[in-house]
Amino acid sequence: MTGPINPFDKPNSYIGRSVERADAKRLTQGRGQYVDDLQLPRMVHAAFVRSPFAHAEILSIDKQVAEKAPGVVAVFAGADLTDHVTPYVGILTHLQGLRSPPQMPLAIDRARWQGEPVAMVVAQSRALAEDACDLIEIDYKPIDAACDVESALAPDAVVIHDEYQNNLAWERVVDAGDVDGAFARADVTVVERTFTFARHTGVTLETRASVVEFNPSDETLIWHYSGQAPHMMQAIVAKHLGMQEENVRIIARDVGGSFGIKIHTYGDEFATAAAAKILGRPVKFVADRNESFSTDIHARDHRVTGRIGVDKDGSIVGLEIDDLTGIGPYSMYPRSSGIECNQILNLTGAPYAIDNYRARGTIVFQNKNMMCQYRAVGHPVAMAVADGLLEGAAHEIGMDVVDIRRKNLLRDDVYPTSSAAGMKFDDLSHQKALEKLVELMDYNGLRRDQKEARENGIYRGIGFVSMVEVTNPSPMFYGVGGASISAQDGASVRLDATGALHVSVSITEQGQGTNTIIAQIAAGIFGVDLDRVKVTTGDTATTPYGGGTWASRGAGIGGEAVLLASNALKEQVLDVAAVILQASPETLDIKDGAIVDLADENERMPLSDLGKIVYYRGNELPSDLAPELIATRHYRVTDFPFVFTNGAMAAHVEVDIETGFVKVLDFWAVEDCGRVINPKLVDEQIRGGVVQGIGGALYEECLYSDDGQLLNASMADYLVPMAAEMPDIQVAHIETPTKTSVLGAKGAGEAGTGGAPAAVMNAVNDALRPMQASIYQMPMTPQRVLKALGTV
Amino acid sequence: MKVADFHYERPDSLAKALVLLSRDDADVQALAGGQSLMPMMNFRLAQPDTLVDLNALEELRGIREAANHIEIGAMTRYAMLEASDLVRKHIPLFSIALPHIAHSAIRNRGTIGGSAALADPAAEMPALLIALNATITAVSTSGERKIAAKDFFLGLYETALDEGELIKSISVPKALIENRFGFYELTRRHGDYAMAGVAIAAQHMAPLTGLRIVFFGVSDRPLDVTAIAETLEGQSATDTDIVEAACRAIGNQSLHGDLNADAATKTHLAQVVLRRALRGMNA
Ligand SMILES: Cc1cc2nc3c(=O)[nH]c(=O)nc-3n(C[C@H](O)[C@H](O)[C@H](O)COP(=O)(O)OP(=O)(O)OC[C@H]3O[C@@H](n4cnc5c(N)ncnc54)[C@H](O)[C@@H]3O)c2cc1C
């Protein structure tokens, strides 16, 4: 990689410092601008009638009474939109064989999950729209629903799509080496477990929200959107509303969390856009909590049977998994619902040196809400399966759970290398991370405490996970499969007349601090004070083209684009400064907002003087000098499909064996995300992720009845993890910069969510071991723990 | 979702409120702290035609001391009970239990009358009132009547109140020096409704007299197993004796499971909370 001399170790570099968030003050003072804050002239409000059945024929829809209700502007059924929206299909060609029928925003003829939008009312207020929803007469004929994943492929199962013979969506097999041969060896112990992961969802503080305005005079559409991939939305909106892409503008201002939820094609949102276009006036739709729980994408819901073989020394000789998952009635557009299963096949056992690996994934359709990519896609499943099996094997052969990892983790000097599933790894530090973790948590001390506690009838457990995380994806993730999803990002950096920097970048901010690190990189690389940097994100009209923020790619890819653009601008500015100062550009530098001599940092001219000369008094410059005080650069990952990171985490829990309650006492995470740009923000990303992981391990579950009714679609009944129950989460870092970029940053956003469930599950099982009990079903609710103990 | 349209009345006297509530041609509901009613209206699970806001009614406020009991106005908020010296001194069981009801923000609004009238089987207050032998004063345009707490809670969200009747106040006997109280509940997250809980009151522990044990969160109403106390009356019962007796009492009734725990789990957890509450009383 070429690049400038290392700018990161400068004493005044902002990179590596925990600067305050640029927008914290504004947001905490209630001055944020979320979609629901928007009030546009002539704006009307959408509400939806949703299928009360998991599976039903829609025999008739009578809109007449509703159309005449107070305040109603229009009522739409599915058939009313067929001339305005083209169907969309959620497949990616590189997930070979994945199938899914075309979808429309509102169900036509048949509803396939409880909560699917069937009709829409647009009215003067949301309340009036809801009133009118009650007046739409819909005649449903309920059909048997295929809800259960296990029986969805049975010969007598109801087939959800008439065009298919059965409910199979996709199957994939990975077969590397000789698993059967390895398991058959006389010196090999084989351990088998079945793991169940419940459906849960990413509960965003701000629900999905859209205000769409259409201007018929110039055929332009503006979509104010709470989400994380503006350019992707622009492409699919244009495509399916039959517009030219340049006439669609997507604006994402403040976003109250996204977690992968707000990056898909939701029927209610596309119906809202269609209504705005048909009516020629702004339409607002904000999902309420009930709608969020029943229609925001769900995730996980995997059943995995796994087997691991270890020899007498504890070396893993083979690993085999069989994953079954249900994705709802369709594959979600445009990212597909195949990725989670695919990641599980790709990543299970990836931290370890394993030659013999076999994995099968089966995805079925079912009459439940759709599943798709939520923070740490596939990782919590893959990590829990591999590390659950590994700890099981360690106990089977009487080996310590840390020692068995030391034995099997990829050595820190083997890179670049590839896993049995074909993942390419470089710049990882599994062994170092584990050693740092063991030291940080005082492993031996905890084991002593555990022994003493058990003697007093207190059951504590310690559980580990060693993990990889897919970050900084290349076009091999989506683009290769035909989706209009960019893997490259762009940044423009402009110097204004007063010496301030204006950065506009295609990655987005949804609460994690993106705008802050962008400013740090630009300020640090270019050489101005942090408070002289203004960052613009989330607007297709004003930012370069790019993918947005997902798959832990913001800092690594968007950050690199900012670095490259800032460097380019710096060179351009120094060229101008050299002419003005009659010096050679190589002898100059920019520091604290001024042109300085490189050698002794003596100030030669403030940037504001340079700006004023260029912008106002160009007459003072030679006529053959064409100053460019703006630079744009784009960046994509080229040498690897993904830039993996690694980490090691541990949980310390106490199980109340009378009640089945699990208390997480402590949690430790050691993460290697390459160069850390802002330690505080990274730590908070890890902690927030760990909390979501603990949610998956202990609390969160979308509970469905046998006939497909979601039973807990409220914040009272769906248990998100709350601060009072969370442990202190200690975070430490190892920094192995990726060689794929100058910045060297990898992603960090999903590590906690990916790793924590495995660590907590292993810790619970460690606590239960004296009772010969074990649990491999998440969330580990009190009742499930009591059942594991044989108490109930 | 948004609340369906409704009329709103804020009467300034109890008499006016009772007249408004006595209309039988429309669905009229009282609004107290709104911590249960407003969410139900927001989900359109409740769609009253008229809301009669009780928040301006002087007659429903106040915590007063009488010779043998404390009289608590229906509109008294949990937070006021928590802050009250009278309550601390004379109703120690309230002081133990109140911090477990929801979160401070909700306790600032939620009322004792609202909780009793709602009759949520997982709520603490109904069980506390039965255990403490409280009396509920109901009032309507036809006058006042008194209902013993043990006869008040009839089932899931069902009470002995008639249409148009309000809870005016609740009287709780003052605790005597020799009385003992116990409380324990299990919640997965701080402030949640309990998975299982129990409130206990006894006139004497050794020998055992006047023992009352009421579970919550395990059935369709507060589960009063006080009848078992009679078999132990006057004896020096151990915790184990009491738990066994309670189990026999529970054994005849089928407990109600919920989303996260089936009846068998509830039965088990009921025993656990009882044992822990008794341990707390002895400690
Ligand atoms: C997040 C959350 C957590 C909670 N957790 C708990 C918990 O752990 N334990 C618990 O017990 N509760 C809990 N609650 C409920 C809370 O305690 C309620 O406030 C209480 O149950 C009802 O009291 P209220 O004054 O708010 O009544 P409202 O909501 O105003 O009214 C409830 C019902 O009672 C009727 N009503 C009110 N006052 C009277 C009266 N004087 N006479 C006749 N009818 C009347 C109303 O018409 C309505 O039908 C929780 C609530 C929330 C929002």
Side-chain angles (χ1 to χ4, degrees):
Chain A
M1 277 291 140
T2 56
I5 44 151
N6 186 344
F8 309 113
D9 304 329
K10 284 190 195 165
N12 61 342
S13 171
Y14 287 107
I15 296 169
R17 271 170 54 192
S18 294
V19 305
E20 295 298 321
R21 276 180 190 228
D23 46 12
K25 209 165 164 186
R26 188 172 58 80
L27 295 177
T28 49
Q29 290 185 357
R31 300 280 173 168
Q33 285 211 338
Y34 297 90
V35 172
D36 200 27
D37 294 324
L38 266 187
Q39 302 294 344
L40 298 179
R42 300 175 64 247
M43 188 171 78
V44 284
H45 302 260
F48 292 86
V49 180
R50 297 175 182 277
S51 173
F53 302 104
H55 204 186
E57 279 179 46
I58 303 169
L59 302 178
S60 65
I61 300 182
D62 186 346
K63 308 182 295 186
Q64 283 186 22
V65 182
E67 279 167 340
K68 296 193 193 81
V72 170
V73 174
V75 180
F76 299 94
D80 302 326
L81 298 183
T82 49
D83 289 345
H84 303 277
V85 183
T86 57
Y88 36 95
V89 180
I91 60 168
L92 293 168
T93 54
H94 66 306
L95 304 184
Q96 250 176 33
L98 174 65
R99 64 181 183 178
S100 182
Q103 289 177 68
M104 284 295 283
L106 304 176
I108 301 175
D109 299 334
R110 216 203 277 191
R112 290 183 172 85
W113 85 92
Q114 180 245 322
E116 181 172 7
V118 175
M120 167 174 57
V121 176
V122 180
Q124 299 293 349
S125 74
R126 170 76 185 235
L128 289 170
E130 287 180 19
D131 288 349
C133 282
D134 289 346
L135 303 174
I136 300 176
E137 290 269 334
I138 303 179
D139 193 6
Y140 293 100
K141 183 173 161 225
I143 324 170
D144 281 347
C147 296
D148 176 40
V149 173
E150 308 270 2
S151 58
L153 292 179
D156 60 344
V158 180
V159 176
I160 297 173
H161 299 290
D162 292 339
E163 53 268 62
Y164 301 148
Q165 302 294 312
N166 56 33
N167 293 322
L168 183 68
W170 192 51
E171 266 181 317
R172 182 188 164 204
V173 173
V174 178
D175 201 349
D178 176 14
V179 172
D180 294 330
F183 283 1
R185 276 166 43 188
D187 62 333
V188 166
T189 304
V190 177
V191 169
E192 178 176 325
R193 304 270 186 270
T194 296
F195 302 82
T196 310
F197 301 86
R199 259 179 185 250
H200 52 254
T201 182
V203 183
T204 54
L205 212 53
E206 179 204 20
T207 57
R208 288 191 290 115
S210 299
V211 171
V212 187
E213 40 177 328
F214 180 72
N215 188 336
S217 66
D218 62 1
E219 292 273 314
T220 55
L221 182 143
I222 301 178
W223 188 326
H224 305 272
Y225 147 80
S226 170
Q228 50 189 114
H231 284 104
M232 178 201 92
M233 288 303 284
Q234 181 189 36
I236 62 176
V237 168
K239 181 170 176 195
H240 294 285
L241 292 184
M243 298 181 64
Q244 289 176 198
E245 201 163 306
E246 67 274 21
N247 287 341
V248 175
R249 179 176 178 189
I250 308 287
I251 303 175
R253 270 177 267 231
D254 292 319
V255 176
S258 192
F259 310 124
I261 301 303
K262 300 170 176 173
I263 198 165
H264 312 288
T265 307
Y266 288 100
D268 45 27
E269 293 178 358
F270 267 64
T272 300
K277 199 165 166 241
I278 294 166
L279 299 172
R281 57 197 292 186
V283 183
K284 179 186 275 189
F285 168 66
V286 179
D288 63 33
R289 256 327 142 189
N290 201 328
E291 290 176 304
S292 300
F293 279 115
S294 56
T295 63
D296 285 7
I297 57 110
H298 292 175
R300 322 302 184 224
D301 201 4
H302 289 261
R303 242 141 289 188
V304 184
T305 299
R307 297 203 295 156
I308 196 169
V310 294
D311 68 15
K312 290 199 169 60
D313 301 333
S315 296
I316 302 172
V317 300
L319 178 66
E320 175 175 25
I321 63 162
D322 189 348
D323 174 31
L324 174 65
T325 180
I327 54 168
Y330 299 94
S331 174
M332 199 81 187
Y333 180 73
R335 288 169 187 258
S336 96
S337 304
I339 298 287
E340 181 147 90
C341 174
N342 199 46
Q343 300 265 66
I344 291 166
L345 270 51
N346 283 344
L347 301 181
T348 303
Y352 303 102
I354 302 175
D355 295 327
N356 304 307
Y357 176 64
R358 187 161 58 206
R360 166 192 292 278
T362 309
I363 298 182
V364 299
F365 294 118
Q366 55 178 174
N367 293 114
K368 288 185 183 175
N369 180 31
M370 281 184 276
M371 295 235 298
C372 199
Q373 281 80 288
Y374 159 54
R375 194 176 192 179
V377 189
H379 292 66
V381 176
M383 304 310 144
V385 167
D387 278 42
L389 289 169
L390 186 64
E391 293 209 354
H395 287 284
E396 202 74 23
I397 62 166
M399 193 166 177
D400 180 82
V401 294
V402 172
D403 289 339
I404 202 164
R405 285 186 172 83
R406 285 184 176 125
K407 178 125 220 153
N408 289 289
L409 281 170
L410 289 168
R411 291 197 331 270
D412 294 345
D413 60 2
V414 295
Y415 303 104
T417 188
S418 291
S419 74
M423 298 295 105
K424 285 165 76 178
F425 299 128
D426 202 354
D427 308 316
L428 299 186
S429 58
H430 284 298
Q431 297 281 357
K432 248 187 271 169
L434 178 66
E435 295 312 326
K436 189 159 190 170
L437 174 70
V438 167
E439 193 189 309
L440 183 70
M441 66 192 282
D442 183 16
Y443 179 53
N444 294 333
L446 284 176
R447 285 286 181 217
R448 282 192 299 275
D449 164 82
Q450 178 182 42
K451 199 155 162 275
E452 275 171 37
R454 278 179 187 171
E455 280 156 18
N456 299 318
I458 294 166
Y459 294 90
R460 296 196 180 131
I462 304 155
F464 290 83
V465 63
S466 286
M467 59 172 305
V468 293
E469 184 197 341
V470 170
T471 80
N472 298 7
S474 78
M476 301 308 284
F477 210 1
Y478 291 112
V480 68
S484 16
I485 299 174
S486 177
Q488 61 88 61
D489 274 277
S492 279
V493 181
R494 171 169 63 87
L495 183 72
D496 74 12
T498 69
L501 273 193
H502 297 258
V503 183
S504 119
V505 57
S506 55
I507 57 168
T508 54
E509 165 78 81
Q510 49 260 7
Q512 68 278 69
T514 300
N515 289 350
T516 307
I517 60 141
I518 292 305
Q520 284 179 261
I521 295 167
I525 297 294
F526 183 78
V528 293
D529 281 353
L530 195 58
D531 65 3
R532 300 300 318 273
V533 183
K534 282 279 171 229
V535 179
T536 302
T537 52
D539 187 341
T540 56
T542 61
T543 63
Y545 201 91
T549 301
W550 41 272
S552 296
R553 64 190 298 287
I557 295 178
E560 180 74 1
V562 172
L563 178 146
L564 297 174
S566 304
N567 260 324
L569 180 64
K570 182 172 180 176
E571 281 179 24
Q572 292 166 203
V573 168
L574 290 180
D575 283 345
V576 176
V579 172
I580 297 172
L581 298 169
Q582 303 189 337
S584 146
E586 295 78 49
T587 64
L588 299 173
D589 195 4
I590 304 175
K591 184 172 176 274
D592 300 338
I595 308 289
V596 298
D597 283 325
L598 182 64
D600 55 12
E601 298 194 342
N602 277 342
E603 181 171 327
R604 299 289 304 274
M605 173 172 60
L607 285 171
S608 54
D609 283 3
L610 182 140
K612 284 185 187 100
I613 293 172
V614 169
Y615 288 119
Y616 308 143
R617 306 197 307 271
N619 55 309
E620 293 175 12
L621 297 170
S623 23
D624 60 347
L625 183 74
E628 275 297 347
L629 300 194
I630 182 166
T632 301
R633 290 293 181 273
H634 289 80
Y635 173 73
R636 72 182 195 285
V637 172
T638 46
D639 302 339
F640 288 82
F642 313 102
V643 176
F644 279 94
T645 73
N646 67 280
M649 302 183 190
H652 184 214
V653 307
E654 187 170 304
V655 179
D656 181 338
I657 60 162
E658 275 190 333
T659 62
F661 277 52
V662 175
K663 183 171 169 50
V664 184
L665 302 171
D666 304 282
F667 199 97
W668 302 268
V670 177
E671 170 71 5
D672 186 345
C673 63
R675 182 166 332 274
V676 172
I677 300 164
N678 183 322
K680 198 195 270 175
L681 286 176
V682 172
D683 286 1
E684 292 315 315
Q685 278 296 300
I686 305 279
R687 290 197 179 98
V690 166
V691 168
Q692 269 179 324
I694 292 175
L698 297 178
Y699 300 105
E700 297 186 54
E701 180 165 17
C702 299
L703 294 162
Y704 275 90
S705 68
D706 290 344
D707 58 356
Q709 296 288 325
L710 182 60
L711 301 173
N712 59 340
S714 79
M715 292 298 274
D717 295 320
Y718 180 96
L719 305 186
V720 293
M722 303 275 275
E725 281 66 48
M726 291 303 110
D728 273 350
I729 299 164
Q730 286 191 51
V731 184
H733 301 277
I734 291 178
E735 291 191 59
T736 316
T738 169
K739 292 194 278 289
T740 56
S741 69
V742 180
L743 185 59
K746 313 171 195 169
E750 301 172 276
T753 315
V760 175
M761 180 191 74
N762 284 336
V764 170
N765 283 319
D766 189 45
L768 295 180
R769 197 156 285 113
M771 275 76 66
Q772 268 92 44
S774 60
I775 179 167
Y776 295 99
Q777 181 175 15
M778 293 188 207
M780 295 174 281
T781 65
Q783 174 162 294
R784 287 180 182 142
V785 172
L786 289 174
K787 282 200 195 311
L789 284 162
T791 309
V792 298
Chain B
M1 287 177 87
K2 303 288 177 206
V3 202
D5 203 11
F6 60 91
H7 297 287
Y8 173 78
E9 302 277 357
R10 190 179 163 93
D12 55 12
S13 77
L14 180 58
K16 286 185 199 160
L18 293 174
V19 171
L20 287 166
L21 284 158
S22 67
R23 282 181 50 186
D24 49 13
D25 58 335
D27 179 4
V28 187
Q29 281 209 42
L31 174 69
Q35 299 303 294
S36 298
L37 184 54
M38 292 315 302
M40 287 191 284
M41 288 174 64
N42 284 336
F43 273 117
R44 296 200 173 199
L45 294 171
Q47 298 197 18
D49 303 306
T50 300
L51 269 193
V52 179
D53 188 340
L54 307 182
N55 284 277
L57 303 182
E58 250 341 291
E59 297 96 319
L60 302 190
R61 293 205 198 133
I63 305 173
R64 280 174 296 273
E65 183 172 10
N68 299 316
H69 68 265
I70 302 292
E71 190 75 27
I72 303 167
M75 283 302 292
T76 306
R77 304 183 196 276
Y78 299 118
M80 296 173 178
L81 294 172
E82 275 182 287
S84 158
D85 289 335
L86 283 176
V87 169
R88 205 170 300 125
K89 186 153 170 230
H90 299 295
I91 322 178
L93 185 55
F94 271 17
S95 300
I96 306 170
L98 279 162
H100 295 273
I101 302 177
H103 312 267
S104 317
I106 292 152
R107 295 200 294 272
N108 284 338
R109 298 291 307 162
T111 64
I112 187 169
S115 184
L118 184 67
D120 188 315
E124 289 83 357
M125 191 50 74
L128 296 172
L129 296 179
I130 298 174
L132 291 171
N133 231 343
T135 304
I136 287 142
T137 302
V139 61
S140 69
T141 46
S142 18
E144 284 189 13
R145 65 181 177 125
K146 294 202 186 301
I147 309 164
K150 69 178 171 47
D151 303 322
F152 186 80
F153 301 99
L154 303 182
L156 188 66
Y157 304 122
E158 212 186 312
T159 68
L161 286 181
D162 288 332
E163 288 288 313
E165 212 170 19
L166 275 184
I167 297 178
K168 186 179 176 205
S169 65
I170 295 175
S171 82
V172 183
K174 285 184 184 170
L176 303 174
I177 192 85
E178 65 273 24
N179 295 170
R180 288 293 173 271
F181 302 96
F183 180 89
Y184 196 89
E185 70 171 41
L186 286 168
T187 56
R188 287 172 70 188
R189 300 177 310 173
H190 172 78
D192 279 354
Y193 278 107
M195 279 184 88
V198 68
I200 310 176
Q203 279 161 20
H204 286 276
M205 277 311 271
L208 195 60
T209 57
L211 179 66
R212 304 186 73 92
I213 300 175
V214 188
F215 293 99
F216 51 95
V218 300
S219 181
D220 65 344
R221 71 198 74 182
L223 180 67
D224 182 0
V225 298
T226 298
I228 62 113
E230 279 150 31
T231 64
L232 301 170
E233 186 75 16
Q235 300 181 24
S236 55
T238 63
D239 285 3
T240 312
D241 297 332
I242 297 174
V243 173
E244 278 173 7
C247 288
R248 280 197 301 280
I250 294 171
N252 315 330
Q253 331 206 13
S254 71
L255 299 192
H256 289 235
D258 55 28
L259 281 177
N260 292 299
D262 59 22
T265 300
K266 292 281 188 183
T267 308
H268 168 75
L269 294 179
Q271 293 172 36
V272 175
V273 292
L274 178 57
R275 217 176 299 126
R276 291 186 180 182
L278 288 166
R279 210 180 294 149
M281 286 169 86
N282 297 331

